Amino acid sequence: MKIILFPSKISHYSRRVIASVWQMLLLGIVLSSFLVFLSGCQGITQKDDGVIHLTLWQAINPPANRDVFEKLVDKFNQTYPDVKVESVFLAQPHLPKILTAVVGNAPPDILAFYPQITGQLADLRAIIPLEDWLEKLPIKSEISPNLLEELQLDGHLWSAPLYTSNIGIFYRPKLFEAAGITQTPKTWEELREVAKKLTIDRNGDNRPEQYGIVLPLGKGEWTVFSWFPFLLSGGGEVLKNKQPDLTNPGALKALQFWQQLLTDGSAMLSSPERGYEEDAFIAGRVAMQITGPWTYITKSTVDYDAFPIPENVAQATVTGGGNMYVMKTTPAREQAALKFLAYVLSEEFQKEWSIGTGFLPVNLKAAQSEAYQQFINQKPWLKVFMEQIPLAGARPIIAGYSRLSDSLGRAIEATLLGESPEKALKIAQERLETIWDSN
């Protein structure tokens, strides 16, 4: 028997139906292997002691940051005896487990995750809107307004910010000094030249012992996230009139720039889907790394500093946020979950969380507090990321973002492996147009 998926004569509607069937089949397979995990988590919520027991799923990394979060959850549990929050670490793969739990009617009460899944969760009616709750919350005026604007979709606020941050470039000052570099690069061309100077082949075997910069190999979200500041700086976009637009000049320019770094021989590629790892930077095998203030680099003993993403058409970066969703359960459980969200937005939580992790506070009073200002003064590199907040753009939170990100990630990966940027983006665009459902 010969099976052909998505032949050219099948209608767009039929393709969507077939795609949905396959998606449900895959979710069913994941669900069958995930029942033990779900039953274990749900078991937490079944205690009958007059206290509302809530499950909270989070994927906070590295472990040091997770420890800070767990201590703050414990503090909430001690302060509010009528609500008990049990924090559960969600291992990879994250998204299939979350969607499986929703489809299987076994979601957590609270989900801490990145905002790009908002559209999917809203379409599944798995989360509750928060705008009415936030409007009545006394500390609403303490929350940075632009962060709330980025989280709105179709007239609703679907999540509350746990933290905010953005991407810059960390570098090794001693390696810069050894290469005779006295100023950090401010433009793409300057970054390219600096990367060349920092690339050193000591024994002449055409395999440098030290590279200028590391680029994330892979098609996952980290790769897309790391490339997004260059897309925005180049004047690019990924959506136009709610339709995918990956072949625009700015996107092509940003992808060509990454390829130029590789062609120059001044960039090394990370291990596949491990672009966030910093071992090469810490060991001195690379002099620059694209990442944010949460990085383990700041907890290492090596010399380091940071500078903003160099500009092309404009200076830009991308917001790296973590958000809290209240999953649709029962009114009593949802109200208890909202009590925890109010605690997360508070000056107390945000101050302790930001000082402990390096993420930027979403509460303005926390950011202006004496304790946080002292923390900033001790870590002047952190000001780079604070000053970039007004320049930060956001990745879309539409329902189709996972498809958009996957196609874009494939184009970036293909380019880093030798494909022409034009062809990689063209293939990604055509793939999206085949499966896209306007949001």
Side-chain angles (χ1 to χ4, degrees):
M1 180 175 65
K2 186 176 181 181
I3 299 176
I4 301 176
L5 294 183
F6 300 156
S8 59
K9 293 183 179 180
I10 290 182
S11 69
H12 179 68
Y13 175 77
S14 298
R15 291 176 186 176
R16 287 173 54 196
V17 170
I18 294 171
S20 298
V21 170
W22 274 99
Q23 184 178 39
M24 292 305 297
L25 285 172
L26 289 173
L27 283 176
I29 293 170
V30 177
L31 179 60
S32 65
S33 62
F34 197 41
L35 289 175
V36 173
F37 177 84
L38 292 177
S39 61
C41 293
Q42 291 302 303
I44 295 169
T45 68
Q46 301 304 313
K47 301 173 184 177
D48 186 15
D49 55 5
V51 177
I52 297 180
H53 292 261
L54 304 178
T55 56
L56 183 157
W57 288 3
Q58 46 84 9
I60 295 170
N61 266 317
N65 288 351
R66 201 183 312 146
D67 291 342
V68 175
F69 184 77
E70 299 288 4
K71 288 177 183 176
L72 286 164
V73 172
D74 289 343
K75 185 177 288 189
F76 172 86
N77 289 334
Q78 294 166 12
T79 306
Y80 299 91
D82 57 330
V83 180
K84 180 82 170 179
V85 175
E86 182 72 22
S87 175
V88 178
F89 177 68
L90 190 63
Q92 292 273 18
H94 303 137
L95 190 55
K97 291 179 180 178
I98 294 168
L99 296 178
T100 298
V102 170
V103 172
N105 197 29
D109 295 285
I110 306 170
L111 174 65
F113 208 62
Y114 59 78
Q116 279 64 51
I117 66 167
T118 298
Q120 283 176 285
L121 295 180
D123 270 11
L124 290 170
R125 299 184 180 180
I127 51 178
I128 66 171
L130 303 179
E131 63 273 3
D132 291 342
W133 163 76
L134 184 64
E135 196 62 40
K136 300 172 185 174
L137 202 65
I139 61 172
K140 182 194 173 184
S141 61
E142 299 174 18
I143 310 306
S144 181
N146 65 313
L147 294 179
L148 298 176
E149 289 173 11
E150 291 179 357
L151 302 179
Q152 294 185 21
L153 179 66
D154 298 332
H156 292 291
L157 178 71
W158 293 106
S159 63
L162 166 61
Y163 60 82
T164 188
S165 195
N166 55 71
I167 278 187
I169 298 181
F170 277 80
Y171 71 101
R172 297 287 301 270
K174 289 181 180 178
L175 299 183
F176 270 55
E177 183 180 350
I181 302 168
T182 58
Q183 292 186 333
T184 55
K186 294 180 173 55
T187 66
W188 286 11
E189 196 54 43
E190 288 178 4
L191 177 61
R192 189 178 175 186
E193 292 305 311
V194 164
K196 289 178 184 177
K197 291 181 181 179
L198 290 164
T199 300
I200 302 173
D201 178 9
R202 295 187 177 91
N203 59 13
D205 64 353
N206 293 319
R207 290 185 295 179
E209 288 75 31
Q210 176 183 303
Y211 286 89
I213 193 168
V214 59
L215 297 178
L217 177 63
K219 56 181 177 291
E221 187 59 30
W222 179 263
T223 297
V224 175
F225 178 49
S226 302
W227 180 76
F228 227 82
F230 295 89
L231 167 79
L232 298 175
S233 177
E237 57 189 349
V238 292
L239 286 177
K240 189 173 184 178
N241 299 323
K242 296 186 177 181
Q243 297 295 317
D245 180 20
L246 304 188
T247 56
N248 62 84
L252 178 60
K253 189 187 304 181
L255 206 47
Q256 286 173 332
F257 179 67
W258 271 28
Q259 190 177 65
Q260 286 171 344
L261 292 171
L262 282 173
T263 304
D264 291 341
S266 54
M268 70 173 288
L269 294 177
S270 73
S271 299
E273 306 299 353
R274 311 291 288 184
Y276 52 85
E277 292 183 342
E278 298 133 343
D279 297 3
F281 180 94
I282 292 171
R285 294 194 299 275
V286 295
M288 296 182 287
Q289 177 139 8
I290 303 165
T291 189
W294 59 83
T295 172
Y296 180 76
I297 290 170
T298 65
K299 298 173 176 63
S300 72
T301 58
V302 302
D303 62 299
Y304 65 87
D305 206 339
F307 59 86
I309 296 291
E311 68 176 279
N312 182 259
V313 174
Q315 190 176 355
T317 185
V318 64
T319 300
N323 295 63
M324 308 290 289
Y325 298 91
V326 175
M327 310 301 285
K328 191 172 289 186
T329 53
T330 67
R333 304 185 74 77
E334 291 166 5
Q335 287 303 309
L338 288 171
K339 184 178 289 189
F340 181 78
L341 261 64
Y343 166 71
V344 167
L345 292 175
S346 70
E347 177 184 355
E348 176 192 8
F349 179 100
Q350 288 293 318
K351 184 167 55 180
E352 191 168 339
W353 165 255
S354 300
I355 291 173
T357 64
F359 287 114
L360 308 180
V362 303
N363 183 295
L364 298 175
K365 283 189 176 180
Q368 297 160 3
S369 68
E370 183 179 351
Y372 189 72
Q373 288 301 310
Q374 288 178 354
F375 176 70
I376 285 273
N377 291 333
Q378 293 168 1
K379 302 179 183 296
W381 55 267
L382 199 52
K383 293 180 182 178
V384 167
F385 300 94
M386 292 291 288
E387 291 169 358
Q388 281 194 136
I389 290 178
L391 305 171
R395 290 163 289 165
I397 63 171
I398 57 171
Y401 179 76
S402 63
R403 300 193 295 276
L404 179 66
S405 175
D406 179 67
S407 294
L408 188 54
R410 289 171 185 270
I412 298 170
E413 181 182 57
T415 299
L416 294 179
L417 293 176
E419 185 62 85
S420 75
E422 294 88 349
K423 184 176 179 181
L425 289 172
K426 182 174 182 291
I427 291 172
Q429 178 70 21
E430 290 173 350
R431 181 173 183 269
L432 275 174
E433 288 174 354
T434 301
I435 62 175
W436 192 257
D437 180 18
S438 181
N439 292 282

